[in-house]
Amino acid sequence: MRRPLIAGNWKMNTTVDEAVILTRDMLPGLKAISNIDRVICPPFISLQRVSEIVKDTAVAVGAQNMYFKEKGAFTGEISPLMLKSLCKYVILGHSERRQFFGETDDIVNEKLKAALATGLLPIFCIGESLQENEAGKTREILARQVTGGLKAISANKDIVVAYEPVWAIGTGKAATGDQAGRTIEFIRGTLASTWNSEIAQSVRILYGGSVTDANIAEFVREPHIDGALVGGASLKASDFIEIVRQTAALKQ
Ligand code: PGA
């Protein structure tokens, strides 16, 4: 049995004060739900405050990115070592990083290795663009992102994969549960051929892209979908709690 997981990606939203308020607003509701991993990913500058607030609860904190070097002359970057005391998870290879900040499969691969070496749990994002999808290249792209991202990384069930079709992110046009379920089954198959089927069965794979409290059930009813990476809807405490609640209930 894979333990379900819901992660909230706040992206470049919330000042420190707003992050504190949002965390306090969602914490009681999140704490009350069990048998599910709950992760919130605020901006870097709020990690310290947010991690203090959730301390001693089962709610975990994640970062949204990091550089792969431990320290040094890399102006503006944040290292795995710096994150280690502040969070448990780190989102890597998000499509916005790939699209706007030039992250390639090789860079994502370096980051995944660095996160694992430091003991951070990576949420490894993959997903095809609209053009790739329309050209019928979805599986080819996903297989390339999985094998490229995991190059020289040995089988590891601690990696969480997030399948986020780029055309579904922030657009209000989510995939259907059936579409996402079949694609995630394919990703699990790719993990089985990259590593082995036992590990592939243990790795959690999330869906992401316009997930709301109105459509989450459709995704988590799919046997291959273990939860969601939620953007916009994770910025509203009641919506995020409801997404977690429905997932926990349906994955019982
Ligand atoms: P969205 O973002 O839920 O706002 O579509 C998801 C993500 O980018 O992780």
Side-chain angles (χ1 to χ4, degrees):
M1 266 303 266
R2 297 181 295 267
R3 186 174 162 89
L5 186 157
I6 297 288
N9 174 10
W10 296 5
K11 307 194 181 184
M12 198 176 69
N13 296 294
T14 68
T15 61
V16 176
D17 288 347
E18 288 165 347
V20 166
I21 293 169
L22 183 56
T23 306
R24 291 203 175 118
D25 280 353
M26 54 174 67
L27 192 58
L30 292 180
K31 269 167 59 179
I33 308 162
S34 49
N35 299 322
I36 181 164
D37 285 340
R38 293 137 280 173
V39 185
I40 52 178
C41 306
F44 283 135
I45 58 160
S46 297
L47 286 173
Q48 171 97 40
R49 294 291 301 282
V50 168
S51 66
E52 281 162 12
I53 297 168
V54 305
K55 194 167 161 266
D56 302 325
T57 75
V59 176
V61 175
Q64 300 172 16
N65 177 36
M66 57 165 224
Y67 194 50
F68 52 80
K69 298 278 192 183
E70 200 167 276
K71 60 180 176 182
F74 303 102
T75 303
E77 291 299 313
I78 298 289
S79 84
L81 206 59
M82 295 170 186
L83 294 178
K84 181 71 177 105
S85 62
L86 298 175
C87 52
K88 183 171 176 185
Y89 291 87
V90 59
I91 299 171
L92 296 175
H94 189 281
S95 66
E96 287 151 15
R97 302 291 323 163
R98 296 177 189 257
Q99 230 180 314
F100 306 130
F101 303 98
E103 286 196 14
T104 60
D105 290 331
D106 283 344
I107 295 174
V108 177
N109 176 245
E110 292 296 337
K111 292 186 173 191
L112 284 166
K113 287 191 222 162
L116 292 169
T118 314
L120 290 162
L121 302 180
I123 301 177
F124 166 37
C125 301
I126 57 173
E128 84 286 3
S129 68
L130 182 62
Q131 292 102 304
E132 290 160 347
N133 183 283
E134 285 174 345
K137 290 190 171 155
T138 298
R139 292 186 171 203
E140 180 191 322
I141 296 295
L142 295 175
R144 192 205 72 207
Q145 290 176 338
V146 169
T147 49
L150 298 180
K151 196 170 58 192
I153 296 178
S154 43
N156 193 324
K157 66 175 172 42
D158 290 338
I159 293 182
V160 177
V161 177
Y163 167 56
E164 300 202 303
V166 180
W167 46 269
I169 296 179
T171 58
K173 289 191 202 136
T176 64
D178 179 56
Q179 246 175 348
R182 275 185 284 119
T183 306
I184 287 177
E185 184 173 10
F186 167 79
I187 294 166
R188 206 175 285 293
T190 308
L191 289 174
S193 40
T194 307
W195 289 337
N196 61 64
S197 52
E198 197 192 319
I199 294 286
Q201 286 307 319
S202 311
V203 169
R204 292 178 293 179
I205 311 183
L206 315 178
Y207 167 76
S210 297
V211 168
T212 65
D213 55 349
N215 64 18
I216 183 68
E218 196 186 326
F219 298 106
V220 296
R221 276 201 187 100
E222 293 289 322
H224 281 284
I225 305 184
D226 302 310
L229 180 55
V230 185
S234 71
L235 292 167
K236 209 174 148 212
S238 56
D239 289 10
F240 189 63
I241 293 164
E242 181 57 18
I243 289 169
V244 174
R245 192 194 65 74
Q246 289 186 33
T247 304
L250 286 164
K251 290 292 187 189
Q252 285 267 323

